Amino acid sequence: MKILLTGASGYIGRNLLKELKKNHEIIVVSRSTENKENEKNVTWVAADLFAPEDNERVMKDIDLAVYLVHSMQPPAKLTQASFEDMDALLADNFARAAANNGVKRIVYLSGIVPENEKLSRHLASRLECEKILSSHGVPVTTLRAGLIVGPKGSSFPILQSLVERLPGLVLPSWAYNRTHPVALRDLIEGLLAAIEREDLGQCSIDIGGPEEITYRELFEQTAEVLGKKLPMVDLPIIPVWAFKLWVALISGKPIEMVGPLLDSLVHDLVITPEHTVEGITNAPTGFKESVRLATEGQDSTGYSLPRLRIPFKSDVENPKNDVKSIQRVTIPASWSVQDTASYYLKWLSRASFKVVGTRITDNRTEIFLPLLKEPILILQHSPQRSSEDAVVYLISGGLFARTAEGSRARLAFRRVLGENRVIIAIHEYEPSLPWTVYTLTQARVHLIVMTIFGYETKALAALENFRENRGHKPAGIAAA
């Protein structure tokens, strides 16, 4: 079987690759193939999964695709986007390409989803991605895990660092919520089973170890394995948000990662009978043994407090001055994606009281400032990359854009899951203004513009809904 593997740079993907390559031909996707060497049954390919054309290219002749992608850290030098919107766009790109290339199945790693609860942002995003991946007709087998106990990754190293570095713990009320931790080796076995078993098809499977335990017990048992005394005091009034900065500082993890993970602790993340599959769900390794395996070979006295610094969204090592800006707006139910794009381009001039002008001719749109002779941005509509629920404009020039041959800078409008919301995204854009000047001016203005546009389209959606409830037909798009 020819398998496409994403996320192989992460610790789960790396361990899964070691097993998959024994019996399958693996195409491994990475943003860069530098220092990556092909070997028997393993071929590394460079691709940006934010680019639909890259998804299409790597998906050719693939039988099964493994999706281990999560956008909890910024992918560009300047990223103006929530992780939910980035994940939604990535999942939609991936699912479309899989459907277009006849991929038989997608295997996706997600988190355990509590039933009938208002989900945290992190879990809501994981569930939305699950739905998006299956929205284009390719069956998706989802493995849902709680706390994954392994030497790297996100959740367990945070737990371990708190136990190692703190003299004691003050516990909030959520410390008594329950979870089903799973050992890394059991998770890998579960993923392998999900990949090999063709009978699974479209389904969601919970996986967890033999113990359903509280977060307090996680701390107690981790401390016991590490041979450390860890006094604990209950203080139920402390909210989750109060822990975020503190945990980021102690663990050395970015606040963009820590925040969403801690938000999910308000839930009981336990296996449910409806999502149980024999041979996969019930992982055999107990929590203490999982901790021992995860920490084996580590010097528990070798930890030191990290530099007390929280990285910001623009703090990404990248030689390019590239920008990624993604926002999701609510639109009237009667609007198409093309209606939204057309309204936006005309609205720019009206909303700015003609401080910013737009000139639209056929497939070309020029955005200009009245005092400048040349347009600041030139957008070229791309019919080849557009569809009923996606509209793409290439940023082909202008005083404020740095373009070169082969540039893929673009402004895209995308609807996912048939909702009355549209994702508006700028990708691979390189501003011509000096970077500091750009971040203090154009970048901030763009965020303000998108916020105002979102408020207006939401108001128009509410007005249309009100008119329909009063028995009026939608009036269509108001003149911009």
Side-chain angles (χ1 to χ4, degrees), residues 50 80-82 85-86 89 324-327 423-425 427:
F50 279 104
Q80 298 175 321
S82 68
D85 291 344
M86 288 191 288
L89 201 54
K324 195 175 299 296
S325 183
I326 305 172
Q327 290 80 35
I423 298 173
I424 305 174
H427 295 297

Side-chain angles (χ1 to χ4, degrees), residues 268-453:
D268 286 322
L269 302 181
V270 296
I271 293 169
T272 55
E274 314 88 79
H275 299 290
T276 298
V277 171
E278 187 176 351
I280 296 179
T281 294
N282 300 312
T285 309
F287 180 68
K288 284 187 180 180
E289 176 65 7
S290 301
V291 174
R292 189 190 65 76
L293 291 170
T295 58
E296 202 169 43
Q298 292 183 5
D299 179 4
S300 63
T301 64
Y303 281 99
S304 60
L305 281 172
R307 186 158 49 115
L308 299 185
R309 173 178 174 275
I310 302 299
F312 294 95
K313 286 193 174 183
S314 60
D315 188 19
V316 176
E317 292 184 11
N318 196 321
K320 291 199 310 181
N321 288 339
D322 64 326
V323 176
K324 195 175 299 296
S325 183
I326 305 172
Q327 290 80 35
R328 201 174 335 192
V329 301
T330 300
I331 62 170
S334 62
W335 285 21
S336 67
V337 178
Q338 183 61 65
D339 290 336
T340 308
S342 299
Y343 189 93
Y344 173 75
L345 293 175
K346 295 175 182 177
W347 172 86
L348 283 174
S349 179
R350 174 173 61 82
S352 67
F353 301 100
K354 299 191 182 298
V355 172
V356 176
T358 55
R359 187 182 298 114
I360 303 173
T361 56
D362 297 328
N363 287 333
R364 179 185 172 97
T365 299
E366 295 181 353
I367 301 175
F368 58 89
L369 299 176
L371 298 180
L372 299 178
K373 294 181 180 180
E374 299 293 326
I376 59 173
L377 289 174
I378 299 173
L379 307 178
Q380 195 74 34
H381 178 243
S382 176
Q384 298 84 2
R385 300 182 183 183
S386 301
S387 62
E388 182 180 353
D389 51 4
V391 177
V392 177
Y393 296 88
L394 301 179
I395 303 174
S396 58
L399 294 175
F400 283 9
R402 187 187 302 277
T403 57
E405 186 176 353
S407 171
R408 302 194 303 182
R410 60 202 179 274
L411 169 66
F413 297 76
R414 178 82 61 83
R415 188 200 301 270
V416 297
L417 294 176
E419 296 178 341
N420 295 330
R421 294 194 296 168
V422 169
I423 298 173
I424 305 174
I426 293 176
H427 295 297
E428 299 188 52
Y429 169 63
E430 291 189 65
S432 60
L433 292 174
W435 186 251
T436 301
V437 174
Y438 168 77
T439 57
L440 294 176
T441 57
Q442 186 184 347
R444 297 191 178 190
V445 169
H446 174 72
L447 273 184
I448 294 171
V449 166
M450 293 307 303
T451 300
I452 296 172
F453 182 70

Side-chain angles (χ1 to χ4, degrees), residues 3 36 48 96 155 158 182 206 301 305 314 333 356 383 417 442:
I3 298 174
K36 307 285 197 313
D48 179 2
R96 285 170 185 264
S155 300
I158 292 175
V182 59
D206 291 344
T301 64
L305 281 172
S314 60
V356 176
L417 294 176
Q442 186 184 347

